[in-house]
Amino acid sequence: MIPPQEASVRRREIEDKLKQEEETLSFIRDSLEKSDQLTKNMVSILSSFESRLMKLENSIIPVHKQTENLQRLQENVEKTLSCLDHVISYYHVASDTEKIIREGPTGRLEEYLGCMAKIQKAVEYFQDNNPDSPELNRVKFLFERGKESLESEFRSLMTRHSKVVSPVLILDLISGEDEMEAQDDMTLEHLSESVLHDVIRISRWLVEYGRNQDFMNVYYQIRSSQLDRSIKGLKEHFRKSTTSSGVPYSPAIPNKRKDTPTKKPVKRPGHEHDFRVKHLSEALNDKHGPLAGRDDMLDMEIDAYIHCVSAFVKLAQSEYQLLTDIIPEHHQKKTFDSLIQDALDGLMMEGENIVSVARKAIIRHDYSAVLTVFPILRHLKQTKPEFDQVLQGTAASTKNKLPGLITSMETTGAKALEDFADNIKNDPDKEYNMPKDGTVHELTSNAILFLQQLLDFQETAGAMLASQETSSSATSYNSEFSKRLLSTYICKVLGNLQLNLLSKSKVYEDPALRAIFLHNNYNYILKSLEKSELIHLVAVTQKTAERSYREHIEQQIQTYQRSWLKVTDYISEKNLPVFQPGVKLRDKERQMIKERFKGFNDGLEELCKIQKAWAIPDTEQRDKIRQAQKTIVKENYGAFLHRYASVPFTKNPEKYIKYRVEQVADMIERLFDTSA
């Protein structure tokens, strides 16, 4: 049960809350009444505004329609007047443009093309609307005259501004392989920017509006002449600037290259080794004689041709870049094909002339002409990827010119190689041509020099030999196959040379000189193979070649040493008289000892006199042979002298004991020394 006091509090709270709710309800009721009144007022205002708008609209719409009709009429009048002005303007085109057309486009091309556009529109208008109008003939005449002037201006611009590229600029362009930064900065500006802009504008107008393609023939004829003259100028530059050593020079580009002398030797494009023409030409020359000025000229011709090939690639690339801006795309390949024909045909013809000269020389067994084939062929093959890229899109006959020349050179080079090998084998025995001192034969030194030069052209020579192979292995040609073919060829030349040397050695009547001759040649071959690393190439197919040459050399040394037996036999212990110390010798024994001393002395003097004039160029081998011979003779003569020097076999011992052991050694030490 709730206490009375708490119930009273609870009742008061409820009464207060009820009072508050009544006050709130009364406030809401008053607010609703005010809102209703405001709504009624707003509805009244809007109704009044709508009524006024309707009255205004009914008044404005008729006025607007009248204004719109008036505007339309005004526009029609203006359009009519504009059309009349436009039509009338066509009748004034001829008189407005005649003076400019007559004076030509030189110096004001844009203005001239603007006049031509007006004339063209006038022609189109009269053809469509009044084909019988005399004005049509007049504007047609002006249009044709203007087109001819533009064609003439195109020819004039190309003729006046197409300049031959200077040889110095070409050389700097193609010899920049070691200075890529300088090369990147170099560009050939055939036409100035302003001239190029005018030429491009004229060509585009002639194609789009002139309906004329004759300017393309003009373009390729002018640029073809410039390209051909540039390459010929480079070749002439080589002729004029060849120094006494046959090396042309090219000034460096000013402000382009640092730490560069004023003049520098021009490197052959793509060459890692300098091809020494004079030495190789002597090696290949059948007469083994000096070529008196021919070598410098030959070297110049090789350099000139190689540089001209590289120049053609660079200039042709530049010509194509220029052509793409001027000639329409669908005519570019054909125009470029025509443009390069003269220069390309000149290069190919010169290459074929080189091949022809080489063929004729090979028939005469004059192998110096093959010099031109190796470096040129190598460069052509190195340049072929660039050639193919430049000639991409040209006619098949154009693309096949370089491969045809390469094939021709490979065939000729292979013929020269095989003919050279046969000539080494069949070189006749000429007694007057044999070295009297038994030194290295010219045929040996020349053959080895030729083989050494092949090291610089391994791929080229291998490809030459491979081009003549018909086996299935040749069809899968690679560098390893090339190396094996070249190794086989070198072994063939060395084998032919060895057979020829054996045949030539028979000219010597003295077996010892024959042995010295063969020793010198074999030793020269071996040392040359080792020094030039030819031995590694030989070892590809002949792994025992080095050991075989060493055995041949040792065999000839032993043969030579047998020539001393007729000296040492006199003092050998066999058949020497046996005597007892203190026992008087018999006359027969004394005479035998005298004969032994005399035979030794005479034999020693004779051999030393003869062999002193012989030669062993290799110092190491010369010392080795001398030392071995000194050891043998000193031992035998020392023992003989020790036995008989104190024996009273003669009253004049100085007559028979002419030499001390040291003197004999000194005499042998002077063998093979023509200066002693």
Side-chain angles (χ1 to χ4, degrees):
M1 186 172 178
I2 301 173
Q5 186 178 358
E6 185 176 344
S8 174
V9 173
R10 178 72 173 165
R11 186 170 56 253
R12 280 197 305 269
E13 288 178 354
I14 293 171
E15 288 174 354
D16 290 341
K17 188 174 183 180
L18 179 62
K19 186 179 179 179
Q20 289 176 357
E21 293 294 337
E22 287 175 350
E23 290 176 355
T24 300
L25 180 62
S26 174
F27 176 77
I28 291 173
R29 188 180 292 112
D30 292 341
S31 295
L32 286 173
E33 289 176 356
K34 289 179 180 180
S35 178
D36 288 341
Q37 184 63 38
L38 289 173
T39 300
K40 290 178 181 179
N41 292 338
M42 180 59 69
V43 169
S44 175
I45 291 170
L46 289 175
S47 298
S48 174
F49 184 71
E50 181 180 9
S51 175
R52 291 180 181 181
L53 281 177
M54 289 181 66
K55 291 179 180 180
L56 180 62
E57 183 177 358
N58 292 332
S59 300
I60 290 300
I61 286 177
V63 175
H64 174 71
K65 289 182 178 180
Q66 291 178 1
T67 303
E68 185 178 4
N69 291 333
L70 289 174
Q71 288 178 341
R72 188 178 298 111
L73 290 173
Q74 183 180 0
E75 289 176 359
N76 290 337
V77 170
E78 290 177 352
K79 287 181 180 180
T80 302
L81 291 174
S82 176
C83 288
L84 288 173
D85 289 340
H86 181 68
V87 170
I88 293 172
S89 69
Y90 288 129
Y91 287 86
H92 295 287
V93 166
S95 58
D96 292 343
T97 61
E98 184 174 7
K99 181 181 178 182
I100 296 176
I101 296 301
R102 184 174 63 251
E103 292 175 353
T106 304
R108 51 178 179 184
L109 180 61
E110 292 301 326
E111 181 184 3
Y112 195 88
L113 291 177
C115 290
M116 290 298 293
K118 292 179 181 179
I119 294 171
Q120 184 179 6
K121 289 180 180 179
V123 171
E124 293 173 353
Y125 171 79
F126 288 121
Q127 284 178 336
D128 293 339
N129 298 282
N130 193 2
D132 298 328
S133 171
E135 289 295 328
L136 176 59
N137 294 330
R138 189 178 179 189
V139 291
K140 271 188 174 182
F141 172 78
L142 284 177
F143 184 82
E144 292 300 323
R145 183 172 181 176
K147 185 170 73 170
E148 291 175 0
S149 295
L150 285 172
E151 293 171 356
S152 178
E153 179 69 5
F154 182 88
R155 179 187 294 274
S156 177
L157 288 173
M158 292 302 303
T159 303
R160 284 188 288 114
H161 297 281
S162 289
K163 305 297 183 183
V164 173
V165 183
S166 70
V168 171
L169 182 57
I170 296 175
L171 287 173
D172 286 322
L173 183 67
I174 63 180
S175 64
E177 295 175 1
D178 297 329
E179 303 174 22
M180 295 305 295
E181 182 178 352
Q183 188 182 24
D184 291 341
D185 293 338
M186 290 180 58
T187 56
L188 286 178
E189 187 180 78
H190 295 290
L191 301 174
S192 67
E193 186 175 348
S194 60
V195 172
L196 180 60
H197 174 268
D198 288 350
V199 168
I200 293 174
R201 291 284 285 122
I202 294 174
S203 70
R204 290 179 178 174
W205 189 92
L206 290 173
V207 171
E208 186 174 356
Y209 303 109
R211 306 291 190 271
N212 185 354
Q213 299 180 3
D214 291 342
F215 78 95
M216 299 181 197
N217 296 331
V218 172
Y219 177 86
Y220 92 71
Q221 289 169 0
I222 294 173
R223 297 306 302 173
S224 176
S225 175
Q226 177 271 338
L227 175 62
D228 192 42
R229 287 164 57 204
S230 296
I231 294 176
K232 289 179 179 177
L234 176 62
K235 186 175 181 180
E236 186 64 25
H237 172 76
F238 270 81
R239 288 200 180 100
K240 291 180 178 179
S241 62
T242 300
T243 65
S244 58
S245 61
V247 180
Y249 290 88
S250 168
I253 300 178
N255 303 324
K256 287 287 185 180
R257 300 173 184 177
K258 298 179 180 179
D259 303 324
T260 305
T262 304
K263 290 188 177 183
K264 63 179 183 178
V266 176
K267 296 180 181 179
R268 288 181 188 154
H271 281 213
E272 298 175 357
H273 304 281
D274 181 34
F275 190 58
R276 293 172 176 79
V277 175
K278 184 173 183 179
H279 290 168
L280 184 51
S281 62
E282 289 176 353
L284 293 176
N285 188 269
D286 191 47
K287 300 177 179 61
H288 311 298
L291 298 181
R294 174 183 174 185
D295 303 313
D296 288 343
M297 184 59 65
L298 181 63
D299 196 21
M300 184 279 294
E301 292 292 342
I302 295 172
D303 276 331
Y305 187 74
I306 286 175
H307 279 84
C308 285
V309 170
S310 293
F312 172 81
V313 173
K314 296 294 184 183
L315 293 176
Q317 289 172 341
S318 180
E319 287 292 342
Y320 190 76
Q321 291 174 356
L322 178 65
L323 177 143
T324 55
D325 292 330
I326 299 173
I327 304 300
E329 183 177 359
H330 55 287
H331 291 285
Q332 289 173 2
K333 296 294 184 182
K334 182 179 179 181
T335 304
F336 180 69
D337 197 342
S338 301
L339 189 155
I340 62 174
Q341 283 304 313
D342 287 348
L344 181 59
D345 286 344
L347 285 177
M348 296 302 106
M349 184 178 298
E350 189 172 350
E352 289 296 343
N353 289 340
I354 291 170
V355 173
S356 178
V357 170
R359 286 172 180 164
K360 292 176 182 178
I362 292 169
I363 294 174
R364 299 192 307 270
H365 300 294
D366 174 11
Y367 299 99
S368 60
V370 80
L371 289 171
T372 57
V373 175
F374 277 98
I376 291 175
L377 177 58
R378 180 173 70 176
H379 184 67
L380 288 179
K381 297 184 78 170
Q382 289 174 342
T383 313
K384 187 176 182 298
E386 288 185 273
F387 244 100
D388 293 342
Q389 185 176 5
V390 169
L391 301 183
Q392 186 178 5
T394 58
S397 58
T398 303
K399 294 178 183 177
N400 292 334
K401 287 180 179 179
L402 180 64
L405 179 59
I406 289 175
T407 300
S408 182
M409 283 193 170
E410 283 186 335
T411 302
T412 302
K415 178 67 169 63
L417 290 175
E418 292 301 323
D419 209 53
F420 179 79
D422 293 340
N423 193 65
I424 291 295
K425 179 179 180 180
N426 301 319
D427 185 67
D429 298 328
K430 297 177 181 178
E431 186 173 351
Y432 65 86
N433 199 37
M434 293 294 289
K436 295 180 180 180
D437 57 0
T439 189
V440 178
H441 197 282
E442 280 185 303
L443 181 67
T444 302
S445 60
N446 290 339
I448 292 299
L449 182 56
F450 174 54
L451 295 181
Q452 288 174 341
Q453 297 293 344
L454 288 184
L455 287 174
D456 289 343
F457 302 96
Q458 292 186 46
E459 290 293 332
T460 304
M464 286 179 176
L465 297 170
S467 67
Q468 305 304 302
E469 291 290 319
T470 56
S471 61
S472 58
S473 59
T475 58
S476 57
Y477 170 74
N478 52 45
S479 59
E480 187 62 31
F481 178 69
S482 168
K483 184 179 290 188
R484 291 190 65 82
L485 280 179
L486 187 56
S487 175
T488 301
Y489 172 77
I490 292 174
C491 292
K492 177 181 178 180
V493 172
L494 293 176
N496 291 349
L497 178 60
Q498 187 172 342
L499 291 174
N500 201 326
L501 290 173
L502 285 171
S503 176
K504 289 182 183 300
S505 68
K506 296 176 183 177
V507 171
Y508 299 113
E509 296 180 359
D510 191 334
L513 181 56
R514 187 183 308 150
I516 291 297
F517 171 77
L518 291 176
H519 163 273
N520 284 333
N521 282 272
Y522 291 154
N523 183 66
Y524 177 83
I525 293 172
L526 178 60
K527 290 296 179 65
S528 299
L529 292 179
E530 293 175 334
K531 184 178 179 180
S532 64
E533 299 184 359
L534 268 171
I535 194 68
H536 300 306
L537 198 52
V538 170
V540 173
T541 53
Q542 293 289 342
K543 299 188 181 302
T544 61
E546 184 176 0
R547 185 180 67 188
S548 177
Y549 274 112
R550 295 193 186 281
E551 290 174 353
H552 288 319
I553 292 169
E554 190 60 36
Q555 181 181 356
Q556 298 308 320
I557 292 176
Q558 293 174 5
T559 301
Y560 162 75
Q561 289 175 341
R562 284 198 289 271
S563 68
W564 282 83
L565 290 177
K566 61 182 179 181
V567 177
T568 56
D569 277 351
Y570 282 106
I571 57 176
S572 63
E573 293 186 2
K574 64 178 181 178
N575 300 324
L576 286 175
V578 179
F579 62 90
Q580 297 296 328
V583 178
K584 185 178 180 180
L585 295 177
R586 290 175 295 179
D587 291 341
K588 182 179 180 181
E589 292 172 339
R590 287 197 297 271
Q591 185 61 34
M592 180 179 292
I593 295 174
K594 290 178 182 179
E595 290 176 354
R596 293 299 177 93
F597 269 107
K598 186 177 185 306
F600 173 80
N601 292 334
D602 293 345
L604 176 65
E605 292 169 355
E606 181 184 3
L607 281 185
C608 287
K609 180 181 179 181
I610 294 173
Q611 296 184 8
K612 177 183 176 182
W614 297 354
I616 299 180
D618 189 315
T619 304
E620 182 182 349
Q621 287 291 312
R622 184 169 64 240
D623 293 343
K624 174 184 175 182
I625 293 174
R626 284 173 176 172
Q627 188 60 42
Q629 206 56 52
K630 280 195 297 184
T631 301
I632 296 172
V633 177
K634 282 174 64 178
E635 288 180 358
N636 284 273
Y637 184 62
F640 181 78
L641 199 60
H642 178 73
R643 176 177 293 186
Y644 294 106
S646 59
V647 175
F649 66 91
T650 178
K651 294 179 180 180
N652 301 310
E654 66 277 359
K655 178 180 178 181
Y656 297 98
I657 308 177
K658 295 173 65 175
Y659 304 104
R660 300 189 308 276
V661 174
E662 291 75 13
Q663 289 178 307
V664 172
D666 187 61
M667 292 173 69
I668 297 175
E669 185 64 29
R670 290 195 293 271
L671 296 179
F672 317 116
D673 188 359
T674 55
S675 63

